[in-house]
Amino acid sequence: MTPQERQRVKELFDRLATLEGAARDTEAEREIAQGLARAPNAAYALVQTVLVQNEALNHAETRIRELEEQTGGHRPEGFLDTMRGALFGRGDHPRGSVPSVPQASKWNSGGPATVAYPSVPTPPGSSFLGTAAA
């Protein structure tokens, strides 16, 4: 595990700790408990999956913003865009191609602060997240 991966895992559990008092769906809790009974080590793979997907979403959001800047943020109106505007109040406001995805946050006593994770290539199998793709 690299120091960056260790920090990402810590930050994930710091964010999850803020949800400890949140209401839960009892049926979902039961299904999750049954799943963990069948696969007791699933948390490991789930943490890897969450972190890899978060990184992918951050990269996608960055790329989308770059492309929108290249086109001046202008998107041609499609068949459904007029109806979407009427239903969801978007009117003539330009809209992005996907909802904004927040970058990974570092939670501290002062609240969330955005942290951009550097993309550090790691050979598959050599680190915690490197084994996620396998």
Side-chain angles (χ1 to χ4, degrees), residues 1-11 117 120 127:
M1 174 177 263
T2 68
Q4 294 86 1
E5 291 169 341
R6 184 173 288 106
Q7 183 63 32
R8 290 179 193 174
V9 170
K10 180 188 176 313
E11 290 170 1
Y117 293 122
V120 179
S127 68

Side-chain angles (χ1 to χ4, degrees), residues 107-121:
W107 289 87
N108 56 33
S109 60
T114 301
V115 176
Y117 293 122
S119 179
V120 179

Side-chain angles (χ1 to χ4, degrees), residues 3-83:
Q4 294 86 1
E5 291 169 341
R6 184 173 288 106
Q7 183 63 32
R8 290 179 193 174
V9 170
K10 180 188 176 313
E11 290 170 1
L12 173 63
F13 280 96
D14 287 348
R15 288 192 312 260
L16 292 172
T18 67
L19 303 173
E20 283 299 307
R24 291 182 174 77
D25 180 305
T26 55
E27 185 178 352
E29 276 192 317
R30 189 172 32 257
E31 288 295 321
I32 292 166
Q34 289 172 357
L36 288 172
R38 288 190 313 272
N41 295 312
Y44 187 94
L46 290 171
V47 168
Q48 284 181 320
T49 301
V50 166
L51 294 176
V52 168
Q53 289 176 345
N54 189 53
E55 187 174 310
L57 286 171
N58 287 335
H59 286 303
E61 178 67 18
T62 299
R63 182 65 179 138
I64 289 166
R65 287 184 185 172
E66 289 171 358
L67 292 171
E68 287 177 342
E69 286 175 12
Q70 289 174 8
T71 61
H74 174 59
R75 291 177 40 131
E77 288 233 351
F79 173 68
L80 298 176
D81 287 334
T82 304
M83 183 56 72

